[in-house]
Amino acid sequence: MPLDLFAPFNLGGLTLANRMVMAPMTRNRADADGCVPPLMVDHYRQRATAGLIVAESTTVSPQAVGYPFTPGLYTGAQAASWRRLTDAVHEEGGRIFVQLQHCGRISHPDLLDGQAPVAPSALAPAGRAVTYSGAQDFVTPRALGAGELPDVVDQFRRAAALARQAGFDGIEVHAGNGYLIDQFLRDGTNHRTDAYGGSATARLRLLDEVLDAVCEQWPTEQVGVRLTPENGFNSMSDSDPQGHFEYFLRQLSARGLAYAHVLEGGMATTTVSLDYSRLRKRFAGAYIANNGYDLARAQAAVRAGTADLVSFGTPFIANPDLVHRYRENLPLAAADPAGFYGGGEAGYTDYPFHQGDAPQTRALATEADARPAAGAAR
């Protein structure tokens, strides 16, 4: 029988109902303390028919914050707020991992109590940071000392422990999109000459140490990693992305991780320069393909074996019942970019299910515990 996008999949001992993954998407609707309000609970509950949800980028410490109104996992209150969300997804039969994140230089002192953002090297990105008081030019980050890196690793370790309290099914370590771990991986942003810079082996060291720490808290087969080899977002570049990421994936493959979640191409372009089939061959675990997939392309990738699962971003924003719509070849609703970042229900929980073909979500969670959530970020 040919492989199918809608067939179940065993991911590290977890049975997924299908091979469709809801990609992690920052939506800036947490509260100012990094806690999850009822509105977020409803959004994720609505989309629980995805085989796997990877919850949006979640910061591992106050130092890791890069945008307003993003969720965290470094306090007990944050973990308790996430628990309401994971319980809701599980009640609907879904599975959910959390993406742990440190933004590194993609931040601003206004988000960090006046402290400078940190990075592998003191290189400022181009562009502007989104802060609570509006857009401001990025600043030159402070290069982390080697003696500070164990604390960064501990931030991920503590967040992974809190993720278990929060009821998640697993962890995705964010090592892409120009954030801190990606800044260490790519030689355009890592100019260090110590044990964490120079060779590909040295640039991989921080990710290796973070994975060691996370896997102290979770079985290795319930831990995945997100990579974006050629994404130029956040002023990222690398001298040899094909060679370097083939090496990284070979090394990561030996760990027995649940999956590698790979952005194929860049966020701002449909151009693909790398041979992702070669990258996929370097990793023995499950491979989640991402970036611009539609139904036909996703089915073809699964059937050809170039992907085990496929993650979808924007289609899940406007179609909470995307699995049903794809399975039945129903028309898709279009997402409104005006509701992507920050705000309330509009463009978040108000997209309808296909009339008459899928059950409506349960009633909205009580607003008694709601906290203010507004803002915008990428």
Side-chain angles (χ1 to χ4, degrees), residues 73-85:
L73 259 178
Y74 49 88
T75 72
Q78 291 167 346
S81 70
W82 274 114
R83 185 73 197 216
R84 293 190 288 272
L85 189 153

Side-chain angles (χ1 to χ4, degrees), residues 90-260:
H90 292 149
E91 287 168 6
E92 301 295 337
R95 298 287 193 179
I96 183 166
F97 279 36
V98 64
Q99 185 186 73
L100 298 183
Q101 157 81 313
H102 193 306
C103 288
R105 70 178 188 164
I106 304 303
S107 189
H108 190 276
D110 279 8
L111 298 166
L112 304 173
D113 290 330
Q115 300 298 306
V118 296
S121 303
L123 302 169
R128 311 195 82 193
V130 180
T131 75
Y132 287 103
S133 55
Q136 302 190 57
D137 291 341
F138 283 120
V139 302
T140 300
R142 178 177 64 80
L144 285 160
E148 295 179 276
L149 293 175
D151 179 63
V152 172
V153 172
D154 280 340
Q155 293 172 27
F156 281 89
R157 180 184 288 107
R158 292 191 294 269
L162 285 170
R164 185 171 292 285
Q165 295 179 30
F168 286 100
D169 295 302
I171 299 290
E172 178 174 289
V173 173
H174 198 348
N177 288 353
Y179 300 116
L180 184 66
I181 296 177
D182 196 25
Q183 293 161 25
F184 272 84
L185 288 176
R186 294 205 250 179
D187 58 17
T189 44
N190 185 342
H191 293 184
R192 300 173 75 96
T193 57
D194 62 4
Y196 293 87
S199 69
T201 301
R203 296 198 311 277
L204 182 63
R205 188 182 303 275
L206 179 62
L207 176 55
D208 270 334
E209 292 178 354
V210 166
L211 288 169
D212 285 344
V214 169
C215 291
E216 291 174 8
Q217 307 297 323
W218 287 82
T220 303
E221 62 270 19
Q222 292 174 15
V223 176
V225 64
R226 170 77 159 171
L227 299 170
T228 58
E230 63 176 313
N231 192 10
F233 183 59
N234 285 327
S235 299
M236 295 303 293
S237 64
D238 191 88
S239 64
D240 181 16
Q242 184 80 51
H244 290 156
F245 279 85
E246 285 191 36
Y247 170 77
F248 296 150
L249 282 163
R250 278 199 308 271
Q251 301 307 305
L252 294 170
S253 180
R255 287 180 165 273
L257 297 170
Y259 63 77

Side-chain angles (χ1 to χ4, degrees), residues 37-54:
L39 189 67
M40 283 179 63
V41 175
D42 295 319
H43 174 78
Y44 282 92
R45 188 205 306 270
Q46 290 173 344
R47 290 152 180 81
T49 53
L52 175 67
I53 293 173
V54 182

Side-chain angles (χ1 to χ4, degrees), residues 9-12 221 223 249-250 252-261 279-288 305-309:
F9 186 79
N10 185 299
L11 182 71
E221 62 270 19
V223 176
L249 282 163
R250 278 199 308 271
L252 294 170
S253 180
R255 287 180 165 273
L257 297 170
Y259 63 77
H261 187 180
L279 291 177
R280 196 273 169 271
K281 290 174 183 175
R282 301 298 181 264
F283 188 76
Y287 180 92
I288 304 177
T306 55
D308 298 293
L309 303 103

